[in-house]
């Protein structure tokens, strides 16, 4: 029986997020809508082996961000975050 | 195309008899060609999770069906495992493209659990311990098509695979077979679950390759 670790750190989601936002998102900060914890996305708990990407809050385990890629579309839900603070393009 | 086929083989009916669903209007497939389009076979049992694995003690476990009018039907672990069970052998088809043949389960048919439940609902939203949900038409839980499974391959169902108990609805993509099942809410209107509300298909028939919304 295969046993995989529960989660990876948010760096594991870097490639997919950068493809979408065009910048290194692991250093981007955000705040959990559930518990108020502030973090950079590298600190989130990433679940990547399922049908889509799920980033959870390291403080309360709530879903912060989900990303699904179909062959033709990307679906993004960042409803678990109050905000994402992304550096402005140079 | 309005045909739909089911090649999973259940319980005592044996491995060689294809089960034809009631919606069948076309020609039969041979059981040995039972890989849905776009899938590959694996002999492994990959663990896919959208969140931390809940460890639910059977002493605290409870399973509830709540009807569209609010009536609750609940079973604790002792009551649930005392219900008549079945031992389906089924094929699993994950939307991440692996399929696994001839998996052996023990569980209680939803026909048994819904027997005394009075409802005119058309839909079900399945809730897990944790925050996972998935939507399934109620008719897809009936007529020997779905179980609440609590043993796999002769053993207690491990937490990684959804133990103490998970939904098993093998004629749909495996994300519908919610791990760590806690309750089923019956609904008049369809309500999307965790993956369905971010792009995955509401129904998820592997034979029609219904992976994403619009497929
Ligand atoms: Zn939080």
């Amino acid at each position: 029986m295969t046993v995989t670790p529960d989660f990876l750190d948010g760096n594991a989601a870097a490639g997919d997020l950068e493809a979408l936002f065009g910048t290194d998102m692991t250093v981007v900060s955000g705040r959990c809508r559930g518990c108020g914890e502030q973090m950079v996305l590298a600190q989130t708990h990433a679940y990547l082996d399922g049908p889509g990407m799920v980033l959870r809050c390291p403080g309360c385990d709530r879903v912060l961000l989900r990303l699904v890629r179909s062959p033709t579309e990307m679906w993004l839900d960042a409803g678990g975050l109050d905000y994402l603070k992304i550096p402005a393009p140079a | 195309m309005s045909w739909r086929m089911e090649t999973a083989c259940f319980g005592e009916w044996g491995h060689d008899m294809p089960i034809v669903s009631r919606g069948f209007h076309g020609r039969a497939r041979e059981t040995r060609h039972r890989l849905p389009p776009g899938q590959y076979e694996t002999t492994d049992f990959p663990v896919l999770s959208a969140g931390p694995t809940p460890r639910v003690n059977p002493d605290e476990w409870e399973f509830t069906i709540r009807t569209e009018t609010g009536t609750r039907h609940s079973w604790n672990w002792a009551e649930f495992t005392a219900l008549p069970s079945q031992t389906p052998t089924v094929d699993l088809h994950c939307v991440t493209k692996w399929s696994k043949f001839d998996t052996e389960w023990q569980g209680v048919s939803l026909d048994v659990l819904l027997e005394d439940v009075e409802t005119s609902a058309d839909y079900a939203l399945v809730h897990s311990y944790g925050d996972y949900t998935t939507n399934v038409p109620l008719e897809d839980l009936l007529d020997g098509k779905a179980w609440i499974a609590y043993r796999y391959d002769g053993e207690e169902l491990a937490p990684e695979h959804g133990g103490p108990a998970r939904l098993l609805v093998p004629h749909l993509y495996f994300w519908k077979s919610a791990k760590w099942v806690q309750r089923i809410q019956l609904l008049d209107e369809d309500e999307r679950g965790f993956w369905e509300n971010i792009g995955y298909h509401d129904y998820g028939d592997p034979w029609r390759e219904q992976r994403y919304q619009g497929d």
Side-chain angles (χ1 to χ4, degrees):
Chain A
M1 187 181 294
T2 307
V3 177
T4 55
D6 246 354
F7 61 84
L8 302 168
D9 72 52
N11 288 307
D16 275 348
L17 290 173
E18 186 162 346
L20 180 61
F21 290 94
T23 186
D24 176 10
M25 293 294 287
T26 58
V27 298
V28 158
S29 59
R31 186 169 66 204
C32 173
R33 183 157 283 173
C35 72
E37 180 150 324
Q38 303 203 39
M39 74 215 80
V40 295
L41 290 192
Q43 296 172 301
T44 62
H45 294 178
Y47 296 82
L48 304 179
D49 50 6
M53 170 204 296
V54 180
L55 299 185
R56 288 178 180 268
C57 176
C60 72
D61 265 339
R62 283 188 181 85
V63 175
L64 301 173
L65 183 149
R66 298 182 297 162
L67 181 64
V68 165
R69 305 173 69 128
S70 81
T72 53
E73 286 158 332
M74 294 178 93
W75 295 65
L76 174 71
D77 160 34
L81 289 157
D82 278 332
Y83 62 79
L84 277 172
K85 192 168 66 178
I86 304 170
Chain B
M1 286 251 282
S2 65
W3 63 272
R4 177 166 139 232
M5 205 29 237
E6 164 82 56
T7 56
C9 300
F10 299 149
E12 305 96 319
W13 294 344
H15 286 62
D16 299 313
M17 185 182 293
I19 313 289
V20 179
S21 76
R22 290 191 307 178
F24 176 75
H25 299 299
R27 70 202 151 81
R29 296 169 55 97
E30 291 176 50
T31 39
R32 68 174 177 274
H33 301 303
R34 53 185 176 166
L35 209 50
Q39 299 290 111
Y40 66 87
E41 185 186 354
T42 181
T43 53
D44 211 350
F45 195 168
V47 174
L48 277 66
S49 290
T53 299
R55 317 251 157 196
V56 186
N57 190 327
D59 293 347
E60 300 154 34
W61 184 89
E62 188 178 61
F63 173 70
T64 300
I65 295 174
R66 192 168 177 276
T67 72
E68 72 279 18
T69 58
T71 307
R72 289 166 46 96
H73 303 257
S74 292
W75 296 263
N76 64 27
W77 188 252
E79 292 164 342
F80 172 72
T81 52
L83 294 170
S85 67
Q86 296 178 339
T87 54
T89 298
V90 299
D91 297 344
L92 309 178
H93 306 297
C94 181
V95 75
T96 62
K97 302 203 169 176
W98 57 264
S99 291
K100 185 172 171 62
F101 297 150
D102 296 328
T103 62
E104 296 177 8
W105 302 83
Q106 182 179 345
V108 178
S109 168
L110 263 298
D111 293 317
V112 172
L113 294 160
L114 287 161
E115 195 172 6
D116 299 322
V117 175
E118 240 177 80
T119 181
S120 59
D122 289 325
Y123 300 98
L125 186 63
V126 183
H127 295 255
S128 299
Y129 287 91
D131 54 13
Y132 189 72
T133 54
T134 188
N135 51 314
V136 185
L138 181 54
E139 66 174 345
D140 286 84
L141 298 180
L142 296 169
D143 298 329
K145 294 197 288 287
W147 297 264
I148 303 295
Y150 56 94
R151 292 180 73 79
Y152 168 71
D153 208 15
E155 316 258 352
E156 274 177 29
L157 185 57
E160 305 84 68
H161 289 303
R166 74 179 299 159
L167 180 64
L168 179 65
V169 50
H171 68 288
L172 302 177
Y173 279 125
F174 204 40
W175 90 77
K176 299 285 185 180
S177 293
K179 298 199 274 192
W180 317 300
V181 67
Q182 181 179 33
R183 61 195 169 91
I184 295 179
Q185 172 69 54
L186 304 180
L187 297 163
D188 290 325
E189 308 279 334
D190 201 5
E191 201 176 301
R192 284 178 174 157
F194 187 92
W195 289 121
E196 294 85 0
N197 72 17
I198 186 164
Y200 279 93
H201 199 275
D202 283 323
Y203 187 64
D205 180 349
W207 298 100
R208 289 185 284 176
E209 212 171 354
Q210 294 172 332
R211 298 178 195 275
Y212 302 99
Q213 297 285 344
D215 283 350

